[in-house]
Amino acid sequence: MTKVLVATDKPFAKEAVMKIEEAVKSAGLEIALLEKYSSKAELLEAVKDANALIVRSDIVDREVIEAATELKIVVRAGAGYDNLDLEACTEKGIVAMNTPGQNSNAVGELVLGMMVFMARNGFNGASGTELRGKKIGIHAYGNVGQYVATIAKGFGMEVYAFDPFVAKEVIEKAGITPIDTVEELYSTCDYVSLHIPATPQTKESINYDLLTKMPKGGVLVNTARKEVIHEAEILKVMADRPDFVYISDIAPDNKAEFEANYKGRFFFTPKKMGAQTEEANVNAGVAAANQIVGFFKNGDETFRVNK
Ligand code: 3PG
């Protein structure tokens, strides 16, 4: 029987697990669950006889791929697939997929939620600021960026977007002002919300030069990946610009330095939680299960991300 392993260090909501099970079993496939595993060895053992694998941000590197000798397909239940070794998948003839858009609303809501939290001084009762009338720049107008833009408009913010891969007309049609260069996005906007993927090209691309272009009181919101931030340089921004605020859904490696020196000017979630809602878990998890079923039943490779 074809075995689908759901391996999630950060477990899906119970409801999502039930629905994934339903989707897998009703297609006549078998399911196994590995949650909150404490070591990579556990994952290596569990993947041995799996024909399909569903993961979240779990690291599926060459070692995992090589241990998974029966694997035909791995689906990252989510958008970013920087945790999958695509080259190793391709070499072993394994199809790799993501489930784009399925968890985007959850991330979008968290962006605005964290912005309000910081604008109101962590809800400490001191007088804060409002989002209405402020300018927000969407750095990459993909699925999450689109949700952020829509919600930000609801708050009465002026919305701008920079995305060299999206036609200006598409952005304009959504009532958003397209911006030609990344530098202009940062120099224009009070808030910038980051939605670029982590790739060799984007790694550490959010640096001192870019961030210091932001107007006084500039706020960077990062729900993308910590790897895209130049950590040494953002610390220099924090030091040189006492008005600058950094919000991130996942703490940077140099979190201790923020805690020691910049209290009240940063907020980091304790664990990446942008997509951690019951709805997002159900959407992404069930999509992953259905994509696996479609792959085994009909050879459907929609959402394949490797060659
Ligand atoms: C994604 O890329 O979809 C998000 O970063 C969510 O990641 P998670 O499934 O680990 O919460």
Side-chain angles (χ1 to χ4, degrees):
M1 210 190 220
T2 303
K3 183 170 176 179
V4 180
L5 172 68
V6 180
T8 48
D9 178 41
K10 181 174 57 186
F12 287 123
K14 277 198 177 64
E15 173 83 4
V17 176
M18 264 167 48
K19 293 198 163 149
I20 294 168
E21 261 185 46
E22 237 170 68
V24 169
K25 285 186 179 161
S26 65
L29 314 183
E30 188 189 333
I31 187 154
L33 195 60
L34 176 70
E35 290 182 323
K36 282 190 186 170
Y37 45 93
S38 52
S39 69
K40 189 176 181 184
E42 267 185 81
L43 178 62
L44 293 174
E45 182 59 32
V47 294
K48 269 185 180 165
D49 60 348
N51 306 109
L53 176 61
I54 296 177
V55 292
R56 295 184 64 178
S57 291
D58 308 77
I59 306 295
V60 181
D61 59 12
R62 185 170 287 276
E63 196 183 1
V64 175
I65 292 297
E66 281 174 0
T69 52
E70 307 305 313
L71 198 64
K72 298 281 177 286
I73 177 168
V74 51
V75 183
R76 191 280 190 244
Y81 45 87
D82 46 305
N83 53 322
L84 309 182
D85 186 330
L86 296 187
E87 218 174 87
C89 288
T90 302
E91 275 173 33
K92 298 278 172 194
I94 296 166
V95 171
M97 294 183 182
N98 66 347
T99 65
Q102 299 291 348
N103 57 18
S104 307
N105 180 62
V107 183
E109 287 188 11
L110 185 72
V111 169
L112 276 292
M114 293 194 296
M115 282 165 54
V116 172
F117 179 75
M118 285 307 277
R120 296 300 184 95
N121 305 304
F123 301 145
N124 71 358
S127 188
T129 57
E130 298 182 21
L131 302 185
R132 174 169 293 276
K134 303 292 188 312
K135 295 177 174 151
I136 183 168
I138 311 294
H139 188 166
Y141 191 66
N143 289 306
V144 181
Q146 290 170 39
Y147 277 105
V148 172
T150 304
I151 303 168
K153 277 200 270 175
F155 272 89
M157 300 187 82
E158 275 179 42
V159 185
Y160 298 80
F162 167 75
D163 194 325
F165 304 104
V166 177
K168 268 186 172 187
E169 301 72 54
V170 173
I171 295 174
E172 273 163 355
K173 223 172 157 189
I176 297 160
T177 307
I179 296 268
D180 288 331
T181 66
V182 69
E183 288 80 12
E184 198 190 332
L185 187 83
Y186 282 72
S187 61
T188 303
C189 296
D190 306 297
Y191 288 84
V192 170
S193 189
L194 261 181
H195 304 292
I196 54 177
T199 67
Q201 291 73 37
T202 62
K203 195 168 182 261
E204 297 193 336
S205 62
I206 309 304
N207 56 22
Y208 186 86
D209 276 357
L210 207 50
L211 294 173
T212 46
K213 289 193 170 25
M214 291 190 77
K216 191 165 188 300
V219 180
L220 177 72
V221 189
N222 178 15
T223 53
R225 291 289 183 271
K226 67 179 169 145
E227 289 79 6
V228 302
I229 306 290
H230 196 302
E231 290 204 354
E233 294 193 9
I234 200 171
L235 272 180
K236 190 165 153 46
V237 178
M238 296 298 287
D240 292 358
R241 286 268 309 258
D243 58 293
F244 186 84
V245 171
Y246 181 40
I247 299 173
S248 181
D249 179 22
I250 191 169
D253 294 336
N254 55 11
K255 174 183 164 204
E257 292 186 51
F258 281 85
E259 285 171 341
N261 303 307
Y262 305 115
K263 281 235 154 46
R265 292 177 46 211
F266 69 90
F267 176 72
F268 305 138
T269 55
K271 192 163 191 167
K272 190 167 74 145
M273 53 168 283
Q276 194 63 327
T277 66
E278 188 171 295
E279 294 87 341
N281 290 173
V282 168
N283 292 344
V286 172
N290 287 337
Q291 286 171 217
I292 287 170
V293 171
F295 171 76
F296 283 114
K297 299 268 178 228
N298 317 310
D300 189 343
E301 295 192 359
T302 313
F303 302 122
R304 181 172 183 158
V305 293
N306 65 334
K307 302 240 165 64

